[in-house]
């Protein structure tokens, strides 16, 4: 019996380089371990379809791997494209998020399916998200109406880092106990369902595929990878080494 049955890999700063490529050595290694029967899951804060090109490069569909996106808010079996788990935002708070963004003169955006959705298209931060995730922007006339019934996992307010920092503190106080509020980049303020993190997401996945945490190895380098450290018997924190 193999000691490790599942490898979880963070993307940004760990698996993919700044140009979104994967080193050939890393790619060959992850393909090889899958050929030996070890499963691989992408474990990222990105939206699900913002990881698709990486999942395809790793041949997760062929080997029956997984995609854990939104820091654990959504989990897919990439072989079958079955959604195994989803934790969505309470729709009642979205009008508040929208009004906060409007009041502070900042765009709000979200991800629906394979698209970046916003009322604003010509914005450098929204274009950056679109480019990084390889997801087209869909401009809408009514953001709140567009999100109803869509099962939103994450909204983001984007803008200048200085006023965004003040807005972060304000929203954290208002949404305490209702949603998580944090900046993933100085210019990205993320609002997610309360209690989401990669450790909880991986616990859900392990349970669904009947594995123990001792059978999981994880690679990560960022603050959103820290919850995994307490979950795992061993976590490889030196993500930069994978990119060489």
């Amino acid at each position: 019996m193999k000691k490790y049955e599942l490898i979880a890999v963070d993307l940004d700063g760990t698996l993919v380089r700044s140009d979104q490529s994967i080193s050939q050595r890393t790619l060959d290694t992850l393909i090889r371990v899958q050929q030996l029967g070890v499963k691989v899951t992408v474990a990222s804060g990105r939206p699900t379809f913002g990881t698709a090109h990486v999942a395809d490069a790793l041949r997760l569909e062929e080997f029956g791997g997984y995609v854990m996106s939104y820091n654990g808010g959504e989990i897919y079996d990439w072989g079958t494209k079955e959604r195994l788990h989803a934790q969505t935002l309470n729709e009642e708070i979205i009008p508040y998020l929208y009004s906060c963004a409007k009041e502070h003169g900042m765009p709000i955006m979200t991800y629906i399916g394979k698209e970046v959705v916003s009322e604003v298209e010509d914005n450098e931060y929204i274009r950056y998200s679109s480019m990084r995730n390889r997801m087209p922007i869909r401009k809408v006339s009514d953001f709140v109406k567009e999100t109803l019934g869509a099962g939103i996992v994450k909204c983001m307010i984007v803008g200048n880092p200085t006023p965004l920092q003040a807005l972060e503190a304000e929203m954290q106080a208002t949404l305490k106990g209702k949603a998580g509020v944090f900046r993933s980049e100085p210019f990205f303020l993320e609002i997610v369902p309360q209690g989401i993190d990669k450790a909880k997401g991986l616990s859900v996945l392990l349970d669904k595929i009947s594995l123990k945490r001792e059978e999981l190895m994880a690679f990560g380098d960022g603050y959103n990878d820290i919850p995994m450290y307490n979950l795992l018997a061993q976590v490889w924190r030196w993500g930069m080494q994978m990119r060489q």
Side-chain angles (χ1 to χ4, degrees):
M1 180 178 178
K2 298 181 290 295
K3 181 176 180 181
Y4 296 111
E5 300 286 345
L6 179 68
I7 297 175
V9 187
D10 169 55
L11 295 192
D12 298 294
T14 302
L15 179 62
V16 299
R17 298 180 284 204
S18 58
D19 64 357
Q20 303 301 301
S21 66
I22 306 171
S23 77
Q24 192 60 51
R25 185 179 71 172
T26 297
L27 183 59
D28 290 344
T29 299
L30 290 175
I31 296 297
R32 179 58 178 158
V33 298
Q34 289 179 97
Q35 290 172 335
L36 294 173
V38 179
K39 298 295 185 181
V40 171
T41 181
V42 167
S44 176
R46 294 191 189 191
T48 298
F49 290 98
T51 72
H53 61 289
V54 178
D56 291 342
L58 294 175
R59 294 162 59 184
L60 296 189
E61 181 174 5
E62 176 184 347
F63 293 110
Y66 306 92
V67 166
M68 188 181 80
S69 53
Y70 297 112
N71 286 319
E74 195 164 70
I75 303 172
Y76 272 81
D77 180 325
W78 209 247
T80 64
K81 299 301 186 293
E82 177 189 0
R83 189 166 73 168
L84 302 178
H85 171 75
Q87 189 174 346
T88 58
L89 274 174
N90 184 339
E91 289 185 347
E92 293 180 358
I93 73 169
I94 294 180
Y96 164 74
L97 306 181
Y98 181 79
S99 65
C100 275
K102 283 291 187 181
E103 180 182 344
H104 289 81
M106 299 179 185
I108 186 170
M109 56 169 282
T110 190
Y111 305 100
I112 299 178
K114 299 180 180 181
E115 298 175 315
V116 176
V117 174
S118 179
E119 293 182 358
V120 178
E121 186 175 22
D122 188 19
N123 175 274
E124 62 177 311
Y125 304 121
I126 293 176
R127 290 197 305 269
Y128 174 71
S129 180
S130 171
M131 177 277 297
R132 184 173 71 169
N133 291 301
R134 301 188 185 183
M135 297 169 67
I137 301 168
R138 178 161 62 91
K139 185 178 179 181
V140 297
S141 59
D142 189 329
F143 181 85
V144 175
K145 182 178 179 181
E146 200 68 32
T147 63
L148 294 177
I152 300 300
V153 182
K154 173 169 70 175
C155 285
M156 292 204 305
I157 298 174
V158 303
N160 185 285
T162 301
L164 202 61
Q165 183 177 13
L167 181 57
E168 177 184 20
E170 174 188 326
M171 295 182 71
Q172 283 177 340
T174 302
L175 295 174
K176 185 176 181 180
K178 299 178 181 178
V181 181
F182 60 91
R183 283 187 298 161
S184 57
E185 300 277 2
F187 44 80
F188 282 162
L189 180 59
E190 302 199 5
I191 303 94
V192 300
Q194 183 70 28
I196 279 183
D197 64 46
K198 289 187 180 182
K200 292 176 183 176
L202 285 173
S203 293
V204 170
L205 178 57
L206 289 171
D207 183 61
K208 287 186 177 293
I209 61 179
S210 300
L211 292 181
K212 300 175 182 178
R213 69 174 187 169
E214 290 79 11
E215 296 173 300
L216 170 67
M217 177 184 288
F219 293 83
D221 75 313
Y223 288 111
N224 61 342
D225 297 308
I226 290 174
M228 294 195 297
Y229 303 163
N230 297 324
L231 171 69
L232 305 181
Q234 179 176 3
V235 176
W236 292 90
R237 306 188 187 195
W238 303 281
M240 294 293 289
Q241 293 181 2
M242 297 188 68
R243 303 163 64 198
Q244 298 174 357

